[in-house]
Amino acid sequence: MSNRGLSRRGALRAALVASTAVIAAACSSSNNGGGGSAKPAGPVATVKLEPGNGSENVNPTAPVTATVTNGRIDQLALTNANGKQVTGTFDAARSKFTVNEVLGYGATYTWSGTAIGTDNKPVAIDGKFTTVSPKATAPATINIGDGQEVGIAAPIMLQFKGHVENKAAVEKALAVTATPATEGSWAWLQDDNGGSRVHWRPREYWQPGTAVHVAAKLYGLDMGGGVFGDSDLTSDFKIGRSQIVRGYAPSHRVQVIRDGATLFDFPCSYGEGNEDRNVTRSGIHVVTEKYEDFVMSNPPFYTNARERWAVRISNNGEFIHANPQSAGAQGNSNVTNGCINLSTENAQQYFPTALYGDPVEVTGTRIQLSAADGDIYDWTIDWDTWKSLSALEGEPKNQISATPLPPQPVGGR
């Protein structure tokens, strides 16, 4: 009987050993990855910053985004060096944040925040970038303001405070939209008033009633030589009625033509012409400003002379204005120092009808209006030459182009 008892205990011990071996083998198999299904722990969310972390010389107009894949943005801020937060918008899934605020030059911006992955684990969002620091910026001004009504010869003029080296890049950033569509072109004229200037004019005079929109996307633009654009510019204005002043100097008269009909026909006196400085220039002048009272000087002939109803037609000192002292010559001889003199009564009648951008077409004198005479001599340049002054000659222009309008009278051509 004792032998059978030992035999049962031995069998039980053998069974326990076998069972332990199976359990150990199973544990060993799981730890070694042999056929197991468990996944390694860790965050799933991936963050991409644009521009990338540590980027330098970033253009302040470049797209700035933070994008999360396999997750969503929980908290996020982009701040400048002063701690001010930059504004932006999230997409519907909160997987992308897009900055919608213009950034500054020479500034460092820092990301901070958290993304939550699809595994519900957080991932830090951090990084920084620095925008470009220009050597200088070149502010610009436009000659026609919002809501202004101008004459049919008004050019669009952008004046830069500084020299523009990369004129092609600047011109590509300029757009003129006209309704009805109007053929025209930009032209770069010689630097003036401390910087570069570019003018846009239509091929022919504007059609009355045309609505014009000008957009200059200059901020962030590399103008060359380390100079960048200072700010964007826009203007929305309208072309008014057609009014053309026509003067043939030998006739000693001047006509004002409104919408094809003669509004005024005045006796006048043009420049005496005994010296070049006293010659009224032939060519298409443009009305730029007017004064009920204006003090004029033209040494050695006169200084601080008070003139009435003065309408400037060129920066060389030419005006249409009242001058009682030349009343005896008006209608029969030319005795002025280059201006077009009218009687006080006639000058006062003309004055309120004059509008910035009206053409004043003078013919019959021995010297032509030119670049030497001031800022607006655009209409003295023939169309093919004008187009050649574009920095994009031969390239598509960033402007409206259409079938040319019926030719308008330009005088002397």
Side-chain angles (χ1 to χ4, degrees):
M1 290 187 57
S2 61
N3 289 340
R4 283 196 296 269
L6 288 172
S7 178
R8 289 194 197 99
R9 285 195 297 271
L12 180 59
R13 188 180 298 111
L16 289 172
V17 171
S19 175
T20 301
V22 170
I23 293 172
C27 291
S28 176
S29 174
S30 175
N31 290 337
N32 292 331
S37 60
K39 295 181 179 179
V44 174
T46 302
V47 179
K48 180 180 180 182
L49 301 178
E50 185 65 40
N53 184 26
S55 295
E56 297 179 346
N57 295 319
V58 174
N59 191 293
T61 64
V64 178
T65 60
T67 305
V68 173
T69 55
N70 298 322
R72 61 181 178 83
I73 299 171
D74 183 37
Q75 299 179 23
L76 185 64
L78 179 66
T79 55
N80 63 17
N82 296 322
K84 181 181 178 181
Q85 190 167 328
V86 178
T87 63
T89 56
F90 292 95
D91 64 0
R94 286 187 67 90
S95 62
K96 185 175 183 178
F97 177 84
T98 302
V99 168
N100 57 15
E101 179 181 335
V102 176
L103 303 184
Y105 286 124
T108 297
Y109 294 89
T110 302
W111 291 104
S112 61
T114 305
I116 303 297
T118 53
D119 58 354
N120 291 321
K121 293 185 178 180
V123 173
I125 301 176
D126 54 37
K128 63 176 56 180
F129 63 90
T130 303
T131 56
V132 65
S133 295
K135 177 182 177 182
T137 60
T141 56
I142 189 168
N143 64 318
I144 306 175
D146 279 332
Q148 190 172 347
E149 185 172 279
V150 298
I152 59 174
I156 300 164
M157 307 190 308
L158 264 68
Q159 174 70 56
F160 293 89
K161 191 176 181 180
H163 179 69
V164 173
E165 185 175 306
N166 192 349
K167 292 179 170 60
V170 171
E171 194 171 329
K172 287 178 181 177
L174 308 178
V176 176
T177 306
T179 306
T182 303
E183 183 181 10
S185 178
W186 292 101
W188 291 87
L189 307 181
Q190 75 274 19
D191 283 17
D192 193 21
N193 297 314
S196 297
R197 57 176 174 155
V198 61
H199 292 195
W200 191 98
R201 55 154 267 220
R203 180 171 183 168
E204 307 291 345
Y205 290 157
W206 293 100
Q207 179 175 314
T210 299
V212 185
H213 174 73
V214 183
K217 303 291 287 183
L218 301 175
Y219 182 73
L221 183 65
D222 185 352
M223 297 181 175
V227 177
F228 280 70
D230 183 78
S231 60
D232 293 341
L233 293 174
T234 62
S235 181
D236 290 274
F237 61 91
K238 185 178 181 180
I239 307 302
R241 79 289 177 271
S242 170
Q243 179 162 300
I244 304 170
V245 177
R246 289 203 182 103
Y248 177 54
S251 74
H252 316 300
R253 300 193 70 86
V254 64
Q255 291 78 39
V256 179
I257 312 299
R258 170 74 66 86
D259 296 323
T262 301
L263 185 63
F264 303 117
D265 188 343
F266 296 136
C268 69
S269 183
Y270 295 87
E272 182 177 9
N274 59 326
E275 298 181 29
D276 287 356
R277 64 184 294 170
N278 294 332
V279 176
T280 304
R281 291 344 192 206
S282 285
I284 301 176
H285 304 65
V286 176
V287 169
T288 55
E289 54 189 355
K290 60 184 184 179
Y291 306 90
E292 290 187 16
D293 285 277
F294 193 72
V295 177
M296 298 185 184
S297 295
N298 187 7
F301 305 101
Y302 58 87
T303 58
N304 298 325
R306 182 192 176 203
E307 305 292 357
R308 296 278 288 160
W309 313 114
V311 176
R312 184 188 289 276
I313 62 174
S314 176
N315 253 9
N316 65 2
E318 290 175 304
F319 285 80
I320 301 173
H321 67 91
N323 189 352
Q325 294 183 5
S326 68
Q330 293 169 20
N332 60 73
S333 57
N334 294 328
V335 299
T336 81
N337 297 118
C339 292
I340 301 174
N341 283 183
L342 301 175
S343 70
T344 300
E345 179 183 358
N346 291 341
Q348 188 174 3
Q349 286 188 72
Y350 164 64
F351 184 87
T353 75
L355 190 64
Y356 180 94
D358 284 346
V360 177
E361 304 171 358
V362 177
T363 56
T365 69
R366 63 183 176 84
I367 299 179
Q368 296 293 311
L369 185 72
S370 70
D373 293 298
D375 54 352
I376 303 180
Y377 58 96
D378 303 23
W379 294 97
T380 69
I381 302 173
D382 68 86
W383 181 242
D384 287 339
T385 302
W386 181 265
K387 290 192 299 180
S388 74
L389 298 176
S390 164
L392 302 178
E393 173 64 8
E395 297 184 33
K397 303 293 194 302
N398 192 9
Q399 60 199 33
I400 292 296
S401 181
T403 301
L405 299 172
Q408 301 266 341
V410 294
R413 296 194 178 192

